[in-house]
Amino acid sequence: MSLNKKLTLSFIFVVFISIIIISFISNKMINDKFDTYLIDERNKKFETIKENINELFLQKGSNITSDDISNYAKMEDIYIEIKDLKDVMICNANNKPYHRKMMNKRMKNHGKMMNSYSKDTSGVYVEKTFPLLQNEKQIATLIIGYFDTAHLTEAALIFKNTLTKSFILSGIITIILGLLISVFLSKELSNPLINITETANLIRNGNLNVRSNAKTSTREIMELSNSINYLAETLEKQELLRKRYASDISHELRTPLTTLKSHVEAIMDGVWEPSYKHLNILMVEIDNLTKLVDDLKNTFQTFEGELSINKTLFDISKEMKNLIFLFTPIFKKEGFKLNYSIEDNIKISMDKDKFKQIMYNLLSNSIKYLDKNGEVKINLYRENDYAKIIVEDNGSGIRDEDIPYIFERFYRADMSRNRNTGGTGLGLSITKTLVEAHDGTIYVESKLGIGTRFTILIPSNI
Ligand code: ADP
């Protein structure tokens, strides 16, 4: 069932049930109160009639006639009789047999209608006696006779009938109004949802540049629409990245493979001798390929969000000195200097392997870009709540226009030189991801021909 239909039906159902409950409760309460109200009213009327007749009797005494009292009898449909103190009738109006006949006739005429509305249509004839007084002394007796329930039922029926009619009428009006409101409300709710569903279906079918433009004032639906759009945007970005990545990788792999192929072909064609020197060139290309594959593996891990960080608390000062100890012979072999200034006892919570990888990337980069009299200086010290690592070299430096891009994947500043150094353009992007995974920051300052300085800040508030 569509949301629209469901909401409309639920709304009408609620309206319908409310009307039934309200009618039921009001009917019940009115029924309870109404009879007492009518009895009170009747008693009040009888009281007034008695007062009037008492006054009339005081004026006329036993000369009072039926005509004098018949007006009251007719008006109220009752039997009136005045008796003296010896119980002898002085006059009456609407005498009993006539009254009874009249009431019976009326009951027959209305019987059908009454039956359908009231359980109690057979009125019981009742007489009430009132003393007629003069100076607080009884001088005669007034008898008022009436049909008890018939009189009540008829009035009550008319009232209840009107009440039922008004309930039905207001019910119909409410249902129509409810229908209109529910149609409007459910449209207001379901239209944006339909729009969002359509967008989601398009996204599912691979159309990633669609966006939901659902217009709604409902906060939750607005949030859903924004989430769908955000999802589509993320998917689109990832898809773009994936495509760019795939083309970058194939491009990166093609160059060393082409070199290898042409060299192998040269050997096969006898143009090149399979000498140590030539095979070594092949070996260097294979090494480059191996490095590229290793870097790709690392990048994939960070790219796919599979980077697992196992933080441990360790003395980074000590670890840094060990690392420098390992790198010193490599620097020496190339004729470069590796100096350092390390503040002792800096504790840090970090993944030790990732720390080594970061340092390895920075140090091997500096070796690549050092020239004669090359020198690298490592600084480590505490600054506020951070451990600050500085790796500074006096190598080739980076051109100003390249600086903003060197942390991007596959970005290599100086292509001609990089080809020789065997760089993949992935090292710094991996380094940056690793630093940021530890809530740290990395930035670079460099001057072409003068040198490069990488600064890393890692939180260390221990
Ligand atoms: P690569 O594997 O090519 O070194 P990186 O991501 O590590 O890739 O570095 C990106 C680019 O930044 C390099 O191609 C190089 O041009 C530049 N670069 C990085 N480190 C240095 C440095 N210490 N001195 C000069 N240039 C550097």
Side-chain angles (χ1 to χ4, degrees):
M1 195 190 278
S2 76
L3 181 68
N4 212 335
K5 206 169 165 188
K6 205 167 187 169
L7 282 171
T8 311
L9 285 180
S10 320
F11 208 77
I12 290 173
F13 179 72
V14 171
V15 169
F16 199 70
I17 293 289
S18 315
I19 291 170
I20 288 177
I21 292 173
I22 291 171
S23 316
F24 179 77
I25 294 174
S26 330
N27 250 318
K28 174 112 186 64
M29 286 175 77
I30 287 166
N31 271 350
D32 288 351
K33 292 276 171 215
F34 194 62
D35 288 351
T36 9
Y37 166 77
L38 282 182
I39 290 166
D40 282 355
E41 281 298 295
R42 191 183 56 199
N43 288 343
K44 266 188 223 159
K45 255 185 219 157
F46 287 176
E47 202 56 43
T48 325
I49 292 170
K50 186 211 109 181
E51 308 259 292
N52 292 345
I53 291 178
N54 202 147
E55 223 164 86
L56 211 65
F57 191 76
L58 286 179
Q59 282 167 22
K60 299 202 168 179
S62 30
N63 293 331
I64 195 162
T65 62
S66 297
D67 287 346
D68 293 328
I69 56 171
S70 66
N71 261 356
Y72 298 110
K74 272 184 199 149
M75 214 159 65
E76 294 302 326
D77 235 350
I78 49 175
Y79 170 72
I80 301 178
E81 184 180 319
I82 300 173
K83 280 180 178 173
D84 64 13
L85 291 178
K86 285 178 197 139
D87 227 13
V88 178
M89 186 173 78
I90 301 170
C91 71
N92 72 348
N94 239 1
N95 70 25
K96 275 184 217 172
Y98 164 76
H99 186 77
R100 215 166 254 144
K101 242 194 222 165
M102 188 269 294
M103 286 311 265
N104 282 343
K105 199 175 143 209
R106 195 179 61 193
M107 298 287 288
K108 255 185 214 157
N109 284 348
H110 293 285
K112 234 183 177 178
M113 180 193 86
M114 286 174 178
N115 273 334
S116 56
Y117 290 105
S118 170
K119 285 175 264 165
D120 186 15
T121 52
S122 58
V124 181
Y125 180 75
V126 190
E127 282 187 346
K128 267 194 170 184
T129 47
F130 301 91
L132 295 178
L133 304 171
Q134 184 173 35
N135 296 333
E136 313 232 326
K137 262 186 88 182
Q138 186 171 1
I139 46 169
T141 309
L142 170 71
I143 296 165
I144 295 179
Y146 58 94
F147 279 94
D148 188 17
T149 41
H151 169 248
L152 291 179
T153 316
E154 196 185 5
L157 270 177
I158 294 167
F159 181 76
K160 283 177 202 165
N161 209 357
T162 320
L163 198 73
T164 316
K165 270 186 195 156
S166 65
F167 274 132
I168 292 174
L169 190 70
S170 50
I172 291 171
I173 293 173
T174 321
I175 286 184
I176 293 172
L177 265 178
L179 191 75
L180 290 177
I181 294 172
S182 67
V183 167
F184 171 77
L185 265 183
S186 52
K187 274 228 147 52
E188 172 98 355
L189 282 178
S190 60
N191 278 356
L193 284 177
I194 290 169
N195 180 295
I196 294 170
T197 315
E198 280 169 1
T199 313
N201 283 340
L202 285 172
I203 294 171
R204 197 181 60 186
N205 293 334
N207 192 350
L208 296 178
N209 54 10
V210 286
R211 296 290 177 270
S212 146
N213 55 356
K215 285 179 189 66
T216 173
S217 50
T218 316
R219 201 184 64 225
E220 286 81 355
I221 299 181
M222 200 66 230
E223 278 169 10
L224 179 66
S225 167
N226 289 343
S227 300
I228 284 283
N229 285 346
Y230 180 74
L231 188 78
E233 230 160 75
T234 316
L235 283 175
E236 198 182 12
K237 263 190 213 156
Q238 292 219 334
E239 178 69 8
L240 229 116
L241 214 66
R242 198 178 59 77
K243 280 184 185 154
R244 213 190 78 190
Y245 211 49
S247 86
D248 280 352
I249 291 169
S250 53
H251 178 256
E252 293 304 317
L253 286 172
R254 189 167 297 124
T255 323
L257 281 175
T258 319
T259 321
L260 269 177
K261 194 181 171 212
S262 58
H263 289 175
V264 172
E265 269 171 3
I267 292 172
M268 284 167 84
D269 293 347
V271 184
W272 254 27
E273 267 178 47
S275 64
Y276 177 83
K277 192 182 148 206
H278 289 157
L279 287 175
N280 199 37
I281 294 173
L282 297 185
M283 201 59 193
V284 169
E285 283 302 334
I286 290 171
D287 280 347
N288 284 350
L289 264 174
T290 315
K291 167 133 186 15
L292 178 63
V293 171
D294 282 347
D295 276 359
L296 279 175
K297 190 178 151 243
N298 272 322
T299 337
F300 270 130
Q301 278 179 345
T302 56
F303 182 58
E304 302 288 340
E306 283 171 7
L307 186 66
S308 62
I309 302 286
N310 302 314
K311 285 188 187 177
T312 50
L313 187 67
F314 65 93
D315 185 336
I316 190 175
S317 312
K318 230 186 232 169
E319 208 55 48
M320 188 68 99
K321 280 181 190 157
N322 290 342
L323 223 111
I324 291 168
F325 182 72
L326 282 176
F327 263 90
T328 309
I330 304 171
F331 272 73
K332 238 188 197 149
K333 194 178 148 210
E334 302 285 337
F336 302 141
K337 276 191 208 146
L338 181 58
N339 298 323
Y340 60 91
S341 152
I342 310 263
E343 185 181 319
D344 282 330
N345 295 325
I346 303 179
K347 299 271 187 305
I348 201 161
S349 173
M350 213 179 156
D351 186 320
K352 215 188 247 183
D353 289 338
K354 304 292 186 262
F355 162 69
K356 284 182 191 162
Q357 200 179 341
I358 291 168
M359 286 313 295
Y360 177 84
N361 284 356
L362 291 184
L363 289 174
S364 47
N365 262 358
S366 28
I367 296 179
K368 274 192 269 177
Y369 303 105
L370 281 179
D371 292 316
K372 250 197 214 154
N373 301 323
E375 189 177 335
V376 171
K377 183 150 196 238
I378 296 173
N379 275 315
L380 170 67
Y381 54 93
R382 219 179 266 120
E383 191 175 85
N384 302 323
D385 288 339
Y386 291 90
K388 193 170 191 172
I389 304 167
I390 298 173
V391 180
E392 195 176 351
D393 66 52
N394 62 352
S396 61
I398 307 165
R399 288 183 306 177
D400 283 350
E401 59 263 42
D402 288 325
I403 290 179
Y405 306 106
I406 59 160
F407 291 104
E408 281 186 17
R409 283 187 188 110
F410 296 115
Y411 191 84
R412 287 178 299 215
D414 185 344
M415 290 304 277
S416 58
R417 189 186 173 117
N418 264 288
R419 197 45 66 225
N420 301 329
T421 57
T424 60
L426 290 171
L428 283 180
S429 90
I430 295 170
T431 308
K432 188 168 190 262
T433 313
L434 294 180
V435 170
E436 285 173 354
H438 289 89
D439 303 316
T441 44
I442 178 167
Y443 58 89
V444 64
E445 297 152 280
S446 188
K447 273 267 166 298
L448 199 65
I450 293 180
T452 307
R453 180 200 284 155
F454 285 97
T455 308
I456 294 175
L457 287 164
I458 303 274
S460 149
N461 48 355
I462 304 147

